[in-house]
Amino acid sequence: MFTRIESVATLLHDQLDRGAEVIVEGTQGFGLSPLHGFSYPFVTARDTTASGFATEVGLSPRQVNRIIMVVRTFPIRVGGESGPLKDEISWEDVRKLSGAPETVPEFTSVTKKVRRVARFDLEAVKIACTYNRPNELAVMGLDRLDYGNHLLSDRREVTEKARSFLLKLEKTTGVRVNWIGTGFRTTDACSWQPTTRKIALGV
């Protein structure tokens, strides 16, 4: 096994100078930022904004031309005493709300503890959009919102419940939803290109 240790910035700048595209994936949610998060001191050790992610890898803000902000239909926190979580519910509640046949909790990747989960927080998403100024949104967990979207491909339309949710999100944030996730696998994420984006009455 070969291990190489060097500056990531050097590699990225070399590729950008060659005209290549670079994708920087940020980790953890905006609300965990120690600078801008909602629940200090229950935050992480690093800034979790788009600008913070760029800085971490040595990129100038001028080199970023596209920001995709990922939104979950049910926000999560790690298990245990991890700080406030507005409108916290159980994974069984998520099952009932979605109509799923069984309860499927999520676990932290390292400690394998059951994650805490809560209802969707539109105000938190609006604040995150203000700070990050995304070009587009990716909404993960549409199957958690309505099990009728489970493992949906981009060849079929989402359920009416999911569609109303997505359109309301677009209207409220002013940011277009271009990507959706309907399962846990990478292949369960696809583009969302509805024929019309008219807002349903009563949403």
Side-chain angles (χ1 to χ4, degrees), residues 170-185:
E170 287 189 332
K171 181 180 181 181
T172 304
T173 63
V175 185
R176 184 172 175 136
V177 175
N178 282 341
W179 307 95
I180 58 173
T182 60
F184 290 104
R185 302 171 303 179

Side-chain angles (χ1 to χ4, degrees), residues 142 148-159 180-183 185 187-193:
L142 283 188
N149 300 295
H150 185 58
L151 304 184
L152 185 77
S153 72
D154 57 358
R155 293 184 296 275
R156 281 177 34 222
E157 182 56 280
V158 298
T159 64
I180 58 173
T182 60
R185 302 171 303 179
T187 53
D188 298 331
C190 59
S191 62
W192 186 57
Q193 301 294 334

